[in-house]
């Protein structure tokens, strides 16, 4: 199968030119001006942008959490991702306590089998180094292409680890070259605040934010940075939501320490007042860290513009409002934590980042594709448009207007965080390894065609040849 994408405006993190992109057997083999080649399929991209397929480094598909399971599995989540221009994601394999890492990985591989449409890797979420996983087994994961370890510093009594587990994992990462990712919140302090709020009879969704003040995120971010320094590992702070967490990351990066961070689309748009929406609608915005006071949004835009934060992910962790979020109707601490977003990251950042003049097109591609690919061992196979890279491509119509809505999105979730938002610009054709996944409003991809990607270690490149021998 060969594809020629003709006359589009090709935009990578570094380049911006009008040209043709030709792909054969899954990879880009030629890029040039007015290429004189035959192809099985020619796509006229005149007046359109051509982006590399986007990479989402933070998602939770088919994940047991909060007494239920996230509503999007590896099929519905992937369809939704494809319609938003995302062709690769890295999902969290959660080690059930008392289970080995190998068994956890087996469970997560089974979840994607026969369903996957886009390509994906796994991070290993370490929950237990005593009764389940061993340090030796943890150290062997990068050989299987699982080159990042995630630790939750919150969710006491569920996923939270103590500082010993965090630090020991960091020491293993320093040896193996894996990247350590942290959910940075002080879970002990939050647990006290939640108990106090409930004892005082405060049960509404807004108490989700009031019991997780930004200082608890700032403290944990700083703690993780300092411990990573002692252990000598590379650190990535997920879903940064506020000034208190941006500042220690900025300081660390200024000093040249090996620290990176991401924010997520929702923190740039949703503020804590959404939690007060009547009739339990506020529960739609119960994700963690919580939506913050509005002034944090400009802090986050400044951080993504200035490279304090290197990526924007979605943290797609979708629960139905009706039937799942309602588990916490009488107690905010029982509302499953998480929000949807895998489909609308590009829509929102293009509209309110690029079109509003906050970030350039190149920087948008860097934040949504190239940096996630580089940080998570997927580059240059993924995350750019270059000869030899996978033909993961988004032909984007910058003129077409769409309204974001649960009525039209492809996730199974029954609400949209950005309901009713009008944007100009949407993917028109999305290709993964040269195969068309969606075109216009039609899904073309077949479930089971997405592949597991064995990722390179932090700082190493993932070429097709390297991927084949790993
Ligand atoms: O509320 C959230 N973010 N749920 C998903 C788990 C996590 O903390 O990332
Ligand atoms: Zn988290
Ligand atoms: Zn998450």
């Amino acid at each position: 199968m060969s594809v020629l994408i003709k006359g589009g405006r090709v935009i990578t993190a570094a380049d911006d030119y009008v040209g043709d992109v030709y792909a054969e057997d899954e990879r880009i083999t030629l890029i040039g001006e007015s290429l004189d080649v035959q192809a099985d399929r020619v796509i006229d991209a005149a007046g359109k942008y051509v982006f590399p397929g986007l990479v989402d480094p933070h998602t939770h598909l088919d994940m047991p959490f909060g007494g239920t399971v996230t509503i999007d599995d590896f099929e519905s989540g992937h369809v939704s991702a494809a319609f938003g221009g995302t062709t690769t994601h890295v999902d969290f394999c959660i080690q059930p306590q008392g289970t080995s890492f190998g068994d956890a990985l087996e469970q997560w591989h089974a979840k994607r089998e026969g369903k996957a449409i886009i390509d994906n890797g796994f991070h290993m979420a370490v929950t237990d180094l005593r009764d389940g996983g061993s340090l030796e087994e943890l150290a062997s994961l990068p050989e299987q292409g699982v080159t990042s370890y995630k630790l939750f510093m919150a969710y006491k009594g569920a996923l939270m680890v103590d500082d010993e587990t965090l630090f020991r994992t960091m020491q293993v990462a320093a040896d193996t070259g894996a990247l350590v990712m942290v959910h940075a919140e002080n879970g002990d302090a939050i647990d006290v605040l939640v108990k106090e709020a409930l004892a005082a009879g405060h049960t509404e969704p807004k108490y989700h934010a009031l019991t997780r003040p930004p200082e608890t995120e700032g403290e944990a971010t700083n703690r993780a940075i300092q411990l990573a320094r002692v252990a000598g590992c590379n650190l990535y702070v997920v879903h940064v939501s506020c000034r208190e967490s941006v500042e220690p990351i900025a300081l660390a990066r200024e000093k040249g320490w090996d620290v990176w961070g991401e924010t997520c689309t929702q923190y740039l748009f949703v503020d804590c007042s959404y939690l007060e929406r009547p009739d339990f609608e506020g529960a739609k915005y119960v994700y963690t860290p919580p939506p913050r006071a509005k002034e944090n949004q400009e802090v986050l835009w400044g951080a993504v513009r200035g490279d304090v934060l290197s990526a924007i992910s979605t943290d797609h962790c979708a629960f139905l409002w009706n039937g799942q979020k309602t588990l916490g109707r009488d107690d905010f601490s029982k509302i499953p934590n998480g929000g949807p977003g895998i489909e609308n990251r590009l829509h929102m950042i293009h509209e309110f980042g690029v079109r509003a003049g906050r970030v350039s097109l190149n920087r948008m591609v860097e934040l949504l594709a190239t940096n996630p690919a580089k940080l998570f061992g997927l580059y240059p196979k993924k995350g750019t448009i270059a000869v030899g890279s996978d033909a993961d491509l988004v032909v984007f119509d910058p003129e077409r207007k769409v309204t974001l809505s649960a009525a039209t999105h492809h996730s199974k979730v029954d609400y949209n965080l950005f309901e009713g938002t009008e944007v100009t610009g949407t993917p028109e054709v999305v290709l993964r390894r040269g195969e068309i996944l969606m075109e216009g409003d039609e899904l073309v991809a077949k479930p089971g065609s997405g592949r597991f990607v064995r990722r390179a270690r932090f700082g190493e490149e993932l070429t097709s040849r390297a991927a084949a021998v790993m």
Side-chain angles (χ1 to χ4, degrees):
M1 168 81 178
S2 58
V3 188
L4 176 65
I5 300 177
K6 268 198 95 54
R9 184 171 159 194
V10 179
I11 297 159
T12 67
D15 303 309
D16 187 342
Y17 54 85
V18 172
D20 299 350
V21 180
Y22 177 76
E24 204 173 3
D25 298 335
E26 304 198 347
R27 288 196 282 147
I28 297 168
T29 53
L30 272 177
I31 301 174
E33 209 178 331
S34 308
L35 291 177
D36 185 15
V37 282
Q38 298 296 312
D40 298 324
R41 172 75 201 269
V42 179
I43 297 171
D44 178 7
K48 309 282 158 56
Y49 299 156
V50 182
F51 298 135
L54 306 183
V55 178
D56 191 341
H58 186 160
T59 57
H60 303 273
L61 301 180
D62 200 355
M63 181 181 82
F65 194 46
T68 182
V69 179
T70 56
I71 192 67
D72 281 320
D73 64 6
F74 280 79
E75 186 168 337
S76 63
H78 282 193
V79 173
S80 193
F83 275 88
T86 293
T87 52
T88 308
H89 72 121
V90 192
D91 205 79
F92 291 93
C93 167
I94 314 276
Q95 175 206 16
Q97 278 169 355
T99 305
S100 71
F101 297 117
D103 286 350
L105 267 178
E106 210 173 294
Q107 284 179 29
W108 254 261
H109 276 293
K111 288 173 189 275
R112 58 175 300 293
E113 211 47 51
K115 294 186 172 180
I117 284 168
I118 65 171
D119 289 348
N120 82 279
F122 288 126
H123 310 288
M124 177 55 72
V126 176
T127 63
D128 165 24
L129 287 178
R130 289 169 205 268
D131 305 321
S134 67
L135 293 174
E136 293 72 31
E137 203 195 0
L138 186 61
S140 73
L141 293 178
E143 285 149 34
Q144 299 170 55
V146 176
T147 55
S148 39
Y149 308 143
K150 164 79 177 288
L151 298 115
F152 291 91
M153 299 168 77
Y155 303 131
K156 192 168 179 179
L159 301 174
M160 179 171 152
V161 295
D162 57 16
D163 284 351
E164 180 182 343
T165 302
L166 171 63
F167 187 64
R168 285 194 186 280
T169 303
M170 286 176 162
Q171 288 180 314
V172 172
D175 277 349
T176 63
L179 177 63
V180 173
M181 308 167 78
V182 284
H183 169 132
E185 283 186 309
N186 186 315
D188 283 318
I190 289 167
D191 191 55
V192 172
L193 295 173
V194 169
K195 284 181 176 143
E196 284 177 359
L198 291 173
H202 300 313
T203 58
E204 309 94 292
K206 71 174 181 184
Y207 286 95
H208 176 65
L210 292 171
T211 55
R212 308 183 94 93
E215 292 82 356
T216 58
E217 187 180 333
E219 182 279 327
T221 302
N222 185 49
R223 183 163 25 116
I225 291 171
Q226 301 301 336
L227 291 178
R229 287 286 292 162
V230 180
C233 71
N234 300 308
L235 180 73
Y236 181 89
V237 184
V238 302
H239 50 42
V240 171
S241 71
C242 57
R243 180 188 291 281
E244 284 76 359
S245 183
V246 166
E247 283 176 351
I249 295 170
L251 188 65
R253 290 177 63 76
E254 215 175 283
K255 288 176 183 287
W257 297 351
D258 295 322
V259 174
W260 290 265
E262 64 168 28
T263 189
C264 312
T265 323
Q266 54 274 27
Y267 296 110
L268 297 164
F269 302 103
V270 177
D271 65 68
C272 55
S273 69
Y274 285 49
L275 289 162
E276 297 181 39
R277 293 192 172 176
D279 302 325
F280 201 60
E281 214 191 307
K284 293 176 179 173
Y285 309 96
V286 171
Y287 44 76
T288 303
R292 299 295 188 188
K294 198 161 180 57
E295 57 263 27
N296 289 285
Q297 293 174 3
E298 279 315 312
V299 175
L300 294 173
W301 279 114
V304 294
R305 198 168 39 240
D307 208 32
V308 169
L309 298 179
S310 309
I312 302 175
S313 72
T314 65
D315 194 6
H316 182 84
C317 184
F319 296 103
L320 293 171
W321 179 78
N322 190 3
Q324 292 188 296
K325 291 286 185 182
T326 45
L327 291 170
R329 204 179 259 287
D330 302 319
D331 175 348
F332 72 91
S333 72
K334 295 198 168 64
I335 301 170
N337 285 199
I342 204 165
E343 190 161 337
N344 297 134
R345 182 174 56 141
L346 175 59
H347 289 123
M348 292 296 284
I349 304 303
H350 177 257
E351 179 69 26
F352 299 102
V354 174
R355 279 170 50 85
R358 288 181 167 117
V359 290
S360 66
L361 275 169
N362 297 112
R363 180 64 178 159
M364 179 183 76
V365 169
E366 196 167 36
L367 290 161
L368 306 190
T370 316
N371 280 350
K374 284 183 176 171
L375 285 161
F376 291 100
L378 293 159
Y379 185 86
K381 188 173 166 62
K382 309 286 188 187
T384 194
I385 298 175
V387 169
S389 296
D390 280 359
D392 296 348
L393 298 160
V394 180
V395 179
F396 184 86
D397 183 347
E399 304 294 337
R400 184 172 163 204
K401 293 186 194 311
V402 292
T403 302
L404 310 184
S405 173
T408 48
H409 71 200
H410 298 79
S411 159
K412 283 191 202 157
V413 76
D414 56 356
Y415 71 99
N416 188 303
L417 286 181
F418 314 114
E419 185 66 37
T421 304
E422 288 180 18
V423 300
T424 303
T426 193
E428 181 174 287
V429 188
V430 174
L431 300 100
R432 184 231 51 226
R433 288 182 277 104
E435 190 183 326
I436 293 176
L437 298 183
M438 63 74 86
E439 188 160 12
D441 297 324
E442 298 300 318
L443 176 70
V444 182
K446 297 272 175 299
S449 59
R451 277 193 202 140
F452 172 69
V453 189
R454 297 164 75 99
R455 294 179 291 121
R457 284 167 212 260
F458 186 83
E460 290 176 5
E461 292 205 335
L462 184 67
T463 56
S464 292
R465 193 181 307 150
V469 296
M470 272 178 74

